[in-house]
Amino acid sequence: MGANNHHESFPWKHVVGFVLSLVLTFAALWVALSSGLTAKAIIGVIVIFAIIQASLQLFMFMHMTESDSGKIQTINMAYAFFIAIVVVAGSVWTMSFVL
Amino acid sequence: MKWSEFFVTGEPLIYAADVAIVLTIIGIVFVLTYFKKWKWLWDEWLTTVDHKKIGIMYIICAVLMLFRGGVDALLMRAQLTAPNMKFLDAQHYNEIFTTHGTIMILFMAMPFIIGLMNVVVPLQIGARDVAYPYLNALSFWLFFFGAMLFNISFVIGGSPDAGWTAYFPLASNEFSPGVGNNYYAVALQISGIGTLMTGINFLVTILKMRAPGMTLMRMPMFTWTVLITCVIIIFAFPVLTVALALMTFDRLFDTQFFTMANGGMSMLWANLFWIWGHPEVYIVILPSFGIFSEIVSTFARKRLFGYKAMVGSIVGIAFLSFIVWVHHFFTMGAGPAVNSFFSITTMAIAIPTGVKVFNWLFTLRKGKIRFTTAMLWALAFIPNFVIGGVTGVMLAMAAADYQYHNSYFLIAHFHYVLIAGTVFACFAGLHYWYPKMFGHLLNERLGKWTFWLFMIGFNVCFFPMYFLGLMGMTRRMYTYSAGLGWTPLNVVATIGAALMGIGFIVLCYNIYYSARYGERDMTGDPWDGRTLEWATASPPAHYNFPITPEVTDLDAYWVMKKNGNGLEVKEEQLKPIHMPSNSGRPFLISIAFFFAGFGLVFKWFTLAIIAAIFIILGLILRSFDDDDGYYISVDEIKRTERLARKGA
């Protein structure tokens, strides 16, 4: 199937993923050390970079969509993100009256 | 520590329990030795990885815990029957309502459901075992020793007494000194690990091991509900794990996560507890819905009405179950935006649940209904559960909840959903699948006695509590004064509780009676069933299916019976069957967990560390274990199958 053909040709996907990961890592480093933004903005930008890089790696290296159960994997990851956001953001929101 | 502090002293009830425990242990040891059953116990049960036997052990434990939790309940009802009773003092009452709640939810409802899951799901999907049989055994033994650790608290060290929710700051060292709440933190942690592994195990089993042709939309409804329940377990239980770990640190090592001083945030415990706790109630109710769906469809002799809507509503409930938790503490003081949001999400849950109720009703419509005991439980479930559900919507209104909160109205509500939902489902499922587990049916006449006694007793016990709540009686109060006018309804409730107790005794007698005189199930299909578990012998051979069945439609076995194909075992098609080997390690690792937990409870860290080393040793040995099972020869399968068919 698709996965088998993929192994015979040059692994473009991996190279692109690798380069993009490097770019995102150094970009984050640059933002933190020498962009001159406020601390809050720096944290925001770094978090966004991190999310992009995490999803990049899921697709490029961990072949999330490629196996027979690709659909299930994708739904699972999406649900995991949903729960993580609900638990963290929901707790912060709910408990905000004490803080 | 002095011995007089190690053992709980000063209560005649506790001394009686001490004597009963010692006598029971002596009795068990004597019987096993006298009948030379030790080897049988080890070979057939303690080391088994067979999903059917593990399921049976779960159910036996659940029934024992139902007894324990039920005795707690009867003690509470006895104390509340009349005003100013001196039967239990305040401290003892606190301990009893705490253990009642914790045991009923975590050590009765969950294992009962998980036991039925274990017995039924692999059979329903045409599999020979679960995906990870060894892990399954470990799950069970961790649950078992977690439950035992929790249960010994009332004779050794003292029971937890801060409620099953163990809210901080009450559950902190400052307000609950002693080891009671250490038991809560550690025992729940141990059995929680087991539950989490069960969730992973069954998710993989259902996704990967279905018989050929069984697409997701051809799965029996019970299997669907278990699949979704596993997803909820996997996402909800880690929250409990973390919360309990923080609690353990607070209690054992004086950290300040949930304390009042030093920047601790006591309400965060309530928040984390219910992020797990609300999905938890769906973990016990969704499989119950699945059980009722199977039973209603079988005994109405009709395909389940609105299968797709049913699946959709389960998924919808699973989704919503994670965004309603704040409704357990509307009165905590969060702003109107927070309360309104969670009020609306909570009410929204009534929609998919309502869809399911209508699906059951339409399945019954124009069906040829057989009023078996299992069906009676399923039919009684619908109106009783609706009462619980509707009062739930009343509680969901944040503003009104300030009136109902923590009153007996709430007690009545959640007993109506948990008993009419989960407990009725456990009894229904027990009667329905009993022949599949043990090869004989439960007596229908005694079963109906249990049903009527328990169902009427349940309503007599809990319906008055709605009114007691509206009259101002709050939960967890250990006594009340005569002038409040609560006495008549409390007397009624106690009578109801006694009826439920009698119903339970009849059920236990039924189990004994049916084992001796019950009708033997020779066909493997006593109810004219629709799903694949009825295609096997009762009880099934330990490999379940000699030949993996081919599924062409929903209600696979029903279709096979109608078309008359796929039923015969063609001997020339038999192939050797690969099965997992038994292992004693899950049992031994779990004993190590028990001692590690016991050490933590009493802060005996040397014991805890030694036991932890044994746990790690067990894990290391497992990873060097190259026993990948054995094959059953074709000859042996032929012999087993011929014997099974001769019986039929």
Side-chain angles (χ1 to χ4, degrees), chain B residues 250-410:
Chain B
D250 264 17
R251 290 196 56 89
L252 298 183
F253 308 114
D254 293 318
T255 55
Q256 309 285 331
F257 291 109
F258 303 126
T259 51
M260 299 284 275
N262 304 320
M265 201 177 187
S266 52
M267 286 171 183
L268 187 60
W269 166 264
N271 183 68
L272 291 175
F273 181 86
W274 287 114
I275 288 177
W276 160 77
H278 198 83
E280 162 68 14
V281 299
Y282 289 91
I283 291 168
V284 295
I285 202 67
L286 284 181
S288 308
F289 289 168
I291 294 169
F292 290 129
S293 301
E294 300 290 348
I295 290 172
V296 165
S297 161
T298 302
F299 294 114
R301 302 185 117 248
K302 276 178 70 189
R303 183 165 282 194
L304 191 66
F305 181 90
Y307 178 89
K308 279 183 186 160
M310 211 66 145
V311 172
S313 56
I314 303 166
V315 175
I317 290 174
F319 174 78
L320 286 171
S321 73
F322 278 95
I323 48 175
V324 296
W325 77 91
V326 175
H327 71 215
H328 294 273
F329 45 92
F330 277 146
T331 55
M332 192 168 75
V338 172
N339 278 3
S340 308
F341 175 84
F342 286 96
S343 193
I344 292 165
T345 51
T346 304
M347 288 185 222
I349 282 200
I351 299 168
T353 317
V355 169
K356 298 170 82 66
V357 170
F358 282 109
N359 279 339
W360 290 312
L361 293 177
F362 280 116
T363 310
L364 291 169
R365 185 173 175 267
K366 291 193 175 173
K368 280 186 190 150
I369 298 172
R370 283 174 291 163
F371 292 96
T372 58
T373 308
M375 186 61 164
L376 286 178
W377 286 112
L379 292 174
F381 148 76
I382 296 173
N384 283 305
F385 187 79
V386 167
I387 294 173
V390 169
T391 49
V393 177
M394 290 169 72
L395 285 157
M397 294 180 280
D401 184 65
Y402 274 75
Q403 192 64 35
Y404 306 130
H405 186 80
N406 270 2
S407 72
Y408 262 74
F409 190 87
L410 170 79

Side-chain angles (χ1 to χ4, degrees), chain A residues 79-80 82-83 86 91 95 97, chain B residues 235 267 271 275 318-319 322 333:
Chain A
Y79 196 58
F82 165 73
I83 298 289
V86 164
S91 293
M95 303 306 295
F97 75 100
Chain B
F235 286 112
M267 286 171 183
N271 183 68
I275 288 177
F319 174 78
F322 278 95

Side-chain angles (χ1 to χ4, degrees), chain B residues 145-174:
Chain B
F145 283 107
M148 288 305 109
L149 186 62
F150 189 86
N151 269 279
I152 59 166
S153 67
F154 85 110
V155 287
I156 296 175
S159 292
D161 55 359
W164 89 277
T165 49
Y167 275 0
F168 279 84
L170 179 60
S172 65
N173 282 332
E174 196 182 343

